[in-house]
Structure formats: C-alpha cells, structure tokens
Amino acid sequence: MTAIPKALSDATLYPFWLDNPLAPDSERHLVGRTDADLAIVGGGFTGLWAAILAKQANPSRDIIIIEAGKVGHGASGRPGGIVSTSVMHGLSNANRIFPEDLPALERLGKDNLDGWTKTIQDHAIDADLEWSGEMTVAVGPSGMSKLREEFDLAKRYGHDVVLMDREETRAELASPLFEGAMWSRERSGIVHPVKLAWGLKRTALNLGVRIYEHTPMTVVEDNGTMLTIVTHDGQVKSPKVLFATNAWNAGHKNIKTRIVSARDRVLATEPLTEEQLSRLGWKNRQGVYDTRTQLNYMRLTRDNRIIFGGRVGYFFNNNPDPADDRKIETYDRLAGNFFTTFPQLADIKFTHAWSGPIDLTMRLAVHFQRYYGGKAIYAGGYSGYGVTATRFGASIGLDILDGKSGPDLDLDFARTLPNWIPPEPFRWIGAKLTMYALDEVDQKGGWRKHWINMVHKMGFPL
C-alpha cells in the first residue's frame, strides 16, 4: 500500500466540523400553512445572519427560515473557516471588479467584521475563534510577484501587513514550496464554522425567529402582493422573501444563469503531537492560502488538526451530491498535495475527507438578483469566501428587499450583476477543459495557459 492510500485508509467521508456529538437537535419541519413578514429560504450563514439582522432592527417582525436539510449542513458546514475583512473575495479581487468602489468596500468590510464579532461576543457564541491573522504564501517566482502587488494594495488601504522572504515565511510555517508570504496580522483569523452556525441558530431562535428544518421548498407562487413558498408538507405566505440558497440556486430558474456550482474538497488530519507540530513551526496559527492557480488553503483546529483544502471539481448540471465525491480515491490527489507541501509529516493520517459546494460567479463575489417584482432577492456568489462576507450579503440583501436607499446601495456591487454563464452542456465542457488546464498550467504552460487566459478575459479571474 502506497503512502497516500494508507494515509486515507481510515478517513470518514463526512465533514470534520459536522462530526460532533454536541450538535443541536433539529427543529421540526413545517406542516400546514403559515404567514410571515419575512421568509428566508436557506439555513446557512446568509439565512441565519439575515434573520438575526432583521430581528435586531425590528424585534416585532415575524421571520421564518425554512431549511431543506439541517442548519449549517450545506456550504456553511464545510469550509476552511478562515476569517477576513474582505466582502469581495479579497482585496485584489475587489480592486479588479470594483476599483471605483474600493474605498467604500474597505469601510464596509471592516464594519461588517466588527458587527460579526460583536454578535459572537454579545450572544456568547463559542466558535473557537482565534485572531491569528491570515497569510498568503507564494509558490514559485510568479507567486512572489502576485504577493508584492497584493502587499502594495493592502498597505495603501491601511492594512497591518508584513511581506516576508523565504526564510521568514518558513520560520512561520515550514514548507519547501513556500518562497515568501504576506501576513495580514489584524482583523483576520480562524473559526469553527459549524459551531458558529449552531451559535447563530440558537441566537436567531432566542430572538424569536421561527426555524423549520427538513423543509425543502418545492414551488414559489406569485400572488401579486404576496409570495407563497410551497414545501413538502406546508406553505409560507410572505410579502418578502430572501433566497439564501447559494450554490443550490433555488428560488428562480434564472439564478443559475449567473452561478456555477463547483465542488471544493477538504481533508482533516488526526491531531498533531507536539513533536509533529515542532516540525511545522506553526506557532502563530495563521489561516493560510497559497498563490497557485489551483490553490490550497490550510489552518489548524483547536485540537491541532490540519484542515487542508483545494482541488475544485465540477459535475454536470450543478449536481449537489456527486457520487465521485463519496469515493475515498477522489481525495488521493489532494492528499498528494498535502504531502508535497509538508513532506515532514509523512507519518500523518487523515481522519475526514469531504467535499462542499461553491457558488462561483464571473466576479467571484456576492451579488444580488431581484425577482417577482422585487418581492424576492437572491443573495449569493461568495465563491468560497463566505465565512464573514455572508453577514454583509445578508445585510445588503435585506436593505434591497426592504426598499432602502443610500450611497452604499448606489454602488456598482449592489446594482449590477456578474456576467451570464452559458447553460449545459457548454458549461460542463468549459469547466472540464478549465479544470484540466488548471491542474498542469503552472508546470506545462502551452495551450493550457492560452485557455486560462481566454477564460480570464471572459471574466473568471483564474
């Protein structure tokens, strides 16, 4: 048995975050008819934050969340859990898509993170939050060029960042791949995403929000002044609906014209011993991304496991539960990346392997789609960076839904949509070619580089 299959041999095909005996009981599913002032479809981060923000603004408002499965079991229960001020998939991406809005987006991002933190503190949510910083590591000379541009931009906007050379970087986290790093030392860190989701659920319930789990939406009916959300065993009638369905694209047939549902894959190691930790030197416990085209991200848990993710895949017609992602051999390549990154941990084993949906757009950032004459808003498209940005998406989505106005809502990010994405089978063909090119472009170039450049010109910043 080779090293990689052996390391994966005992792994559970289930998210580490969700494999927890302290999980709260499910709320009952909706049976019969009910009315609400605001109906929210989706019990992930966006839906939970929307309910909490709406209740805090108006405690008398009657709010319902319906969730097809269990709260926090979708994308919100599967990420790396790295905390950031960015609300637009990082500073460089914000500068790419909305350069004129960047000062406002920086302000909004800091305000959003302050509000995110205050809710956690005010409601005593124990989510293993650590303000350890966020580190982007360069892999190869081209990675250093990207880092210097990001560093200059971050300094211009007042971020507490340091640029580190190879030796300084490897003193923080030892890997033969790392050529340098940018460490953002404030307003960033790591969190247990599922404990956060469970804490937000408890907070919403305590505020008086009604939550129905195991209540999938089947039909949306437009009755003029009201929308009726029909479920398997009931229905909700409301004048306003927020679709917080993200990669599932539920709520209107046109949502998916702006969204591609990709699959991210993640591994969790067994808890590292003190001796194994000493081989890494990861004393400051930063959340980490690398600069490769097909990037990897990594962080430590409270009990010193390494969460290691990456390897995006795509399945025909936005399949939300592909059979391939429930086969352990699917994770061989990601495990290989782990051991290439940390060869000093050749004796480590993985306890969990899982995948999760990512709602990709041409912008790689949250946007807002308006439906049913403005009675419904879809807020989504975080593209993997939603741990904190979901609160921002919920807040802006509610403001649009409630017909509010103001200078922030006149900015391009709130008024415009990402580019249209072709339907199947063209998106499947394009996705497969792109994934194949991404796997080898850094090493082989050639046609792969030309293809990636073409996709980039279309709007995807690969």
Side-chain angles (χ1 to χ4, degrees):
M1 183 179 285
T2 60
I4 290 171
K6 184 176 180 181
L8 286 166
S9 61
D10 297 324
T12 299
L13 287 167
Y14 192 72
F16 163 73
W17 307 119
L18 290 165
D19 187 7
N20 191 322
L22 300 178
D25 293 336
S26 294
E27 299 301 302
R28 68 186 183 92
H29 78 288
L30 178 63
V31 177
R33 303 183 180 200
T34 190
D35 296 339
D37 298 324
L38 170 65
I40 298 169
V41 181
F45 285 146
T46 300
L48 292 167
W49 277 116
I52 290 168
L53 292 170
K55 265 293 188 183
Q56 288 174 333
N58 182 0
S60 66
R61 195 173 191 180
D62 185 19
I63 299 169
I64 284 180
I65 296 175
I66 63 168
E67 162 57 41
K70 295 178 70 174
V71 163
H73 276 238
S76 300
R78 298 163 189 267
I82 299 175
V83 175
S84 171
T85 60
S86 177
V87 292
M88 290 287 153
H89 200 97
L91 190 55
S92 290
N93 191 59
N95 190 51
R96 177 185 71 89
I97 56 178
F98 298 121
E100 299 301 318
D101 294 352
L102 194 52
L105 289 169
E106 280 288 282
R107 169 180 52 79
L108 290 167
K110 291 174 183 176
D111 290 347
N112 177 67
L113 188 61
D114 289 345
W116 184 90
T117 306
K118 187 176 188 301
T119 297
I120 291 173
Q121 293 171 342
D122 289 351
H123 296 274
I125 298 174
D126 179 9
D128 299 352
L129 178 59
E130 300 180 49
W131 295 108
S132 52
E134 180 183 18
M135 196 161 71
T136 306
V137 295
V139 177
S142 63
M144 281 305 299
S145 176
K146 292 178 185 177
L147 273 191
R148 291 188 184 96
E149 292 177 6
E150 179 88 6
F151 174 77
D152 290 342
L153 191 59
K155 290 295 286 186
R156 190 186 317 160
Y157 283 94
H159 290 260
D160 180 11
V161 292
V162 292
L163 191 64
M164 300 184 292
D165 62 21
R166 178 190 298 177
E167 289 71 26
E168 291 168 327
T169 301
R170 296 181 185 183
E172 289 292 332
L173 179 56
S175 170
L177 299 183
F178 298 166
E179 295 295 322
M182 183 184 77
W183 180 8
S184 180
R185 297 180 296 188
E186 290 185 353
R187 293 179 176 268
S188 53
I190 51 178
V191 72
H192 190 304
V194 171
K195 286 186 177 181
L196 174 60
W198 291 339
L200 294 175
K201 174 185 173 180
R202 172 176 55 81
T203 299
L205 288 169
N206 289 343
L207 289 171
V209 176
R210 290 185 282 158
I211 299 177
Y212 296 96
E213 295 179 86
H214 305 291
T215 303
M217 174 179 63
T218 57
V219 175
V220 181
E221 298 176 353
D222 189 347
N223 308 122
T225 60
M226 306 284 280
L227 292 178
T228 300
I229 307 299
V230 181
T231 71
H232 189 275
D233 296 312
Q235 59 180 246
V236 181
K237 187 175 289 186
S238 177
K240 295 178 180 179
V241 177
L242 182 74
F243 294 124
T245 55
N246 294 303
W248 278 265
N249 305 326
H252 194 280
K253 64 180 181 179
N254 290 337
I255 292 174
K256 65 183 178 181
T257 64
R258 312 285 173 173
I259 295 280
V260 170
S261 180
R263 306 290 297 181
D264 189 31
R265 292 167 186 145
V266 195
L267 298 169
T269 71
E270 60 194 351
L272 273 63
T273 65
E274 288 299 321
E275 190 277 329
Q276 288 170 326
L277 279 170
S278 71
R279 302 178 206 167
L280 291 175
W282 205 348
K283 295 177 182 177
N284 286 304
R285 301 174 59 83
Q286 305 95 326
V288 177
Y289 300 96
D290 71 33
T291 58
R292 283 178 289 194
T293 308
Q294 183 76 294
L295 69 81
N296 290 124
Y297 57 86
M298 58 213 77
R299 50 77 55 93
L300 291 169
T301 64
R302 177 174 282 182
D303 64 350
N304 291 326
R305 300 169 188 264
I306 298 176
I307 304 296
F308 189 88
R311 306 295 321 154
V312 173
Y314 178 78
F315 294 88
F316 188 81
N317 203 29
N318 291 352
N319 186 346
D321 188 22
D324 281 357
D325 280 3
R326 286 179 274 111
K327 299 175 181 177
I328 196 62
E329 59 267 25
T330 297
Y331 300 87
D332 283 355
R333 194 159 189 171
L334 180 59
N337 287 355
F338 176 92
F339 290 120
T340 300
T341 305
F342 301 122
Q344 68 270 46
L345 295 180
D347 55 340
I348 205 75
K349 296 191 74 174
F350 302 104
T351 61
H352 295 76
W354 69 94
S355 70
I358 300 178
D359 45 346
L360 294 176
T361 75
M362 291 288 195
R363 289 180 182 168
L364 296 187
V366 64
H367 71 286
F368 309 92
Q369 299 184 30
R370 296 152 172 85
Y371 292 107
Y372 304 106
K375 294 188 293 293
I377 298 292
Y378 167 88
Y382 305 97
S383 303
Y385 280 65
V387 173
T388 48
T390 42
R391 182 186 179 277
F392 172 77
S395 176
I396 298 297
L398 284 173
D399 284 350
I400 295 172
L401 189 59
D402 288 338
K404 293 184 179 179
S405 60
D408 292 337
L409 295 175
D410 288 335
L411 297 174
D412 285 344
F413 82 86
R415 295 186 300 102
T416 62
L417 292 174
N419 290 344
W420 176 80
I421 299 173
E424 300 291 13
F426 303 106
R427 66 169 62 189
W428 183 86
I429 295 168
K432 287 299 180 182
L433 281 169
T434 302
M435 299 304 172
Y436 182 79
L438 284 172
D439 282 341
E440 298 184 332
V441 67
D442 292 329
Q443 293 80 29
K444 296 184 179 180
W447 71 268
R448 301 161 189 82
K449 188 172 182 179
H450 294 302
W451 177 265
I452 296 301
N453 286 339
M454 183 189 73
V455 173
H456 181 83
K457 289 178 182 178
M458 290 172 61
F460 274 118
L462 301 172

